[in-house]
Amino acid sequence: MTAPARRGPLGRIRESRTLPGLALGALCLAYALGAAAGWGSRQLAVFMGDFGLAAAALAAALSCLVYGCAVGGHARPAWLLFGLSSLMVAMGNGTWGWYELVVRTPLPRDSLAEYAFLLFAPLAITGVLVLAQRPRSAAGWLCLLLDGWLIAGSLFTLSWSLALGRIAAGEGGSPLRLALNLAYPVLDILLVSLVVGLRFGGRDGNRAAVHTAMLALAVTVMCDALFTSPELRSSYHSGELLDAGWFSGSLLLAWAPWSPRWRRPLREHPSAGGLPRRRVATTFSALTPYAAAAVCTAGILYNALGGRELDRVVAAAACTVGLALILRQGVMLLDNLSLAQELAHKEAHFRSLVQGSSDVIMIAGGNGVLSYVSPAALGVYGRDPEELVGGNLLDLVHPEDVDRVLSEVRRYLARVRLAAHRDPRTAEPSARVECRISSGGGEWLHVESTVSRHRDGLLLNSRDVTERVMLQAQLQHNAFHDPLTDLPNRALFTQRLRAALGTRGQQDGTGAGIAVLFLDLDGFKAVNDTAGHQVGDELLVQAARRLQGAVRCGDTVARFGGDEFAALVCGPLGRLQVQELAERLRVALSEPYWIGGTELGVAASIGIAFGTPERGPAADPRTAADELMRNADLAMYRAKSEGKGRVVLYAPAMRADLERRSELEERLRLAVREGGFTLLHQPVVDLADGTVSGVEAQARWRSAGGLLLTPAEFLRSAEHGDAATRFSRWLIHEAVVAAAARRGLGRAGRGPAGPVPVAVRLSTERLCSPGLYETVAAALRDSGLPASELVIEVARMGSDALADELGRRLAALRRLGVSTWLAGYGAGSGSLGALARLPLDGLKLDRTLVQDLGESSLARTLAGHALRLGRDLGMATAAEGVDLPRQVSVLGELGCGQAQGSAFAPPLDEPRLRRALARRGYPLPTPLGPLAARRSHQAADTRTSGRTDTAPGRGVHHHGGADLPEHPAVSGPAGGPHGETVIPPA
């Protein structure tokens, strides 16, 4: 709904006030011209003088009554009374016209018209009293009464001298007639006194309506006073010019409720806390008593100059007026003394506030010359306020801030002028200006000033905000710099990189000349672990200083966190120069560090990425910066994976490898979640008698065509990340559940009678990952499988850095009752010392040591030494990848206890595995050497604890390129020595 519709009909009438106002003026002017011309005929003059006035009064009555019923608040009774008073005038004029035009007889005495006219004044007086503002103190009431009597008494004295005295003398025989004749002028005098002496604030906000109504009543009373004169009354007839005054007064009263509404802003004293300030007498109210005394004096002079005797009534009224004037002057004097005391008190109050304020208050003229400076300038600026007075304000401002200050002041003054032009009653706005001010000590202080208008100049309330500005600058510096090295952080580095890319793109349309270097300190974790974090922090600080000293002046060196740094190189440098710079950085970071008298050393892996030349001016610098930083990060990690301590340039193939690994990891996660993997088991055979001593669990990926494929690509991608952890947990859970199910069938007589341990192979990283021990314990607890029937195989030992953690994890599993084996021995990294420290129950040879046993004497010697080492450490021995009968014979001669491979059985599904376990064993080939020698080797393979070898199992085996046999198998199932189908990379 629009605003005019919400305001209703009253609001729309007020909005269209121009046309009715013009019509009202034209109507009054036409009536006055007609009355001055006599209306052209006696009959029309009588009609307009009687019924015309009645119609105007009736219009005023209806207007006031409608407005009084439509509005609320304290003003409603006043407007209703004004409407009733106008209705009395309409009744009087209508009765007068009835007698003159209809009955055609003179108006009789004591008619209804006289009493109707008599009721006009009391109703109007009551309405005026309702609208008047009440005094707030006894002195105010006294002044109001004195002013009212001064006005009423003066008017009464003048009226008595001019007419009332003669009226009273002519009506000496009839008291009622005397009272009626005197009631009209006395009531009019009282009404005029109230209109002149009272204050009308228009508390409902419509001050114009109240003032227009008072003007209408004043015009009406003035015409009544003229009519009271005997000379004019004796010659009066309807339709004369005097009727134009009554007509105008009625129309003004009719127009008063719909006059334009306006509000005066509430004037408040600054220290009044929101309360209206004390009223100060206006010029009109101050001169009212003296004007009344002048009127009274005019009445006395009229009698004296006319040669008449001084009437007792005039003398009494004049004396009371004089006495009231004296009392009024005494009250005014006391009020002036009170105002002076209050003004002095408030002036002292504000002076103490200004002088005791910590803010500097200055008043500057239009030319900038200071006319007042508060004493706080001595403490804030270190300058004497008296020395500043008379000087120019701009002389104190820093030269670099002068133009900005002038611009802010001009903008503020323009805003003030615009606000005053739109609405003069609105309070003037203020503005805040910050600049640097010269102090007495020669320093520049950051000052914030609140500027406001003061006469023809400006009032400035200034405070020192130097500490706040410095704190903001420090916070901003901390937000974009590393707290330890004070180098730019990632946010500032990214911001500068985006700015550089945007500038280069606009200049030449390419990103050439921009290079990002990512640096990582190799071996920093070892420094932290051995020397402590405090020494590590000092090393980082020295490394930061070396980087800053090695790069050019315009380049940016940043620390991203931990031991990661970055460098932004911009300018006309080619790839070769950037590589040379990176090599200098690597050499600088690799030099020894002397901290606390100890020499420490780290290396640096650096990745370099250049801005792509394809980027044009329309490219987004934000996207380009993010991509460039990702490329440098990929190059840096490639440098670490290739052996650390080197510089690697980014190549698009690195991004392809990353995307490929991410895709494989996602496919692995999806396969685990949707059941895309299945579990096969390969029997582990005891080489002493051919019995099945255990099984190894192996995962296979079920393709869309139903084929079981070796998930080599998946397993290589599963070395790291959340998907690898999920896959390991799935493998342990499925292997333990299947083993528990077979154990249950055996106890029911439908499976193998003895225990058949299951082996699960996991990488070192997965064994050291959080939550693996809990996964094993939960799987054993939920399935009911004894811990002795689970074997955890470590897929090679991994790096020596994980040896201690691996030992703790394996010890925890052994305390649980789980057997621990080392699988893939003979391939990969790992020291013999770490092998001796690890709590292992068995050792399994890698397929690379087994595949050439039948043809190579060197392979036979290496395998024999490995098996002998396992036996000397008290471990059981086994071998994997045994695909040929000759390999079985050689292993038996070398004293290997167990073997698995295609020579016995490929990985089997659950039904075929149960049939294999039901056969109880596999036939062994004829031994190549003496039987006694072979049996002696097998006997030596027994554990020193007296426990027979528990069958190892197999978990996830991550085959690298060196794991695969170099010679194809001459027998066994098609597709590979383990019966699996190898799929190409996804």
Side-chain angles (χ1 to χ4, degrees), residues 661-681:
R661 287 196 302 270
S662 301
E663 180 186 0
L664 291 176
E665 186 174 351
E666 180 62 28
R667 293 178 63 185
L668 173 61
R669 184 181 294 106
L670 185 64
V672 173
R673 184 172 62 248
E674 297 183 355
F677 285 110
T678 187
L679 205 62
L680 300 182
H681 294 81

Side-chain angles (χ1 to χ4, degrees), residues 397-416:
V397 181
H398 194 281
E400 297 178 359
D401 298 342
V402 171
D403 293 338
R404 181 171 54 84
V405 170
L406 291 176
S407 176
E408 292 287 342
V409 171
R410 293 191 187 101
R411 190 181 300 113
Y412 163 70
L413 295 177
R415 190 166 68 250
V416 169

Side-chain angles (χ1 to χ4, degrees), residues 923-943:
L924 295 176
T926 303
L928 299 178
L931 179 61
R934 181 172 58 86
R935 289 183 177 176
S936 64
H937 283 295
Q938 292 176 353
D941 198 27
T942 306
R943 297 293 304 270

Side-chain angles (χ1 to χ4, degrees), residues 513 515 517 550-552 555 569 571-585 608 610 647 649:
L517 287 71
V551 299
R552 300 176 307 165
D555 298 335
V569 180
L573 287 179
R575 293 177 179 263
L576 182 59
Q577 288 83 359
V578 174
Q579 286 182 267
E580 293 176 353
L581 174 62
E583 189 63 28
R584 289 199 305 268
L585 295 177
I608 306 176
F610 294 93
V647 177
L649 271 67

Side-chain angles (χ1 to χ4, degrees), residues 483-564:
L484 178 63
T485 62
D486 203 37
L487 291 178
N489 58 9
R490 181 185 292 270
L492 182 56
F493 183 87
T494 305
Q495 180 179 341
R496 292 183 179 179
L497 177 58
R498 291 172 179 171
L501 288 172
T503 304
R504 295 284 172 177
Q506 293 175 2
Q507 289 177 354
D508 52 15
T510 68
I514 298 177
V516 174
L517 287 71
F518 270 33
L519 306 93
D520 186 86
L521 300 182
D522 304 325
F524 176 75
K525 184 178 183 301
V527 174
N528 258 348
D529 295 341
T530 57
H533 290 279
Q534 185 174 0
V535 175
D537 292 344
E538 180 62 27
L539 189 148
L540 290 175
V541 172
Q542 292 189 18
R545 298 299 171 262
R546 293 183 183 183
L547 289 175
Q548 285 181 314
V551 299
R552 300 176 307 165
C553 182
D555 298 335
T556 299
V557 176
R559 179 180 177 232
F560 283 1
D563 58 349
E564 292 186 359

Side-chain angles (χ1 to χ4, degrees), residues 144-198:
L144 177 63
L145 295 176
L146 291 176
D147 290 345
W149 174 244
L150 282 171
I151 298 171
S154 300
L155 292 177
F156 179 78
T157 302
L158 181 61
S159 300
W160 189 273
S161 300
L162 294 176
L164 296 184
R166 284 176 286 174
I167 294 175
E171 299 291 344
S174 174
L176 179 60
R177 174 53 53 187
L178 177 62
L180 288 176
N181 290 336
L182 292 180
Y184 292 110
V186 170
L187 290 176
D188 287 340
I189 291 173
L190 181 58
L191 181 58
V192 170
S193 302
L194 293 177
V195 170
V196 174
L198 294 179

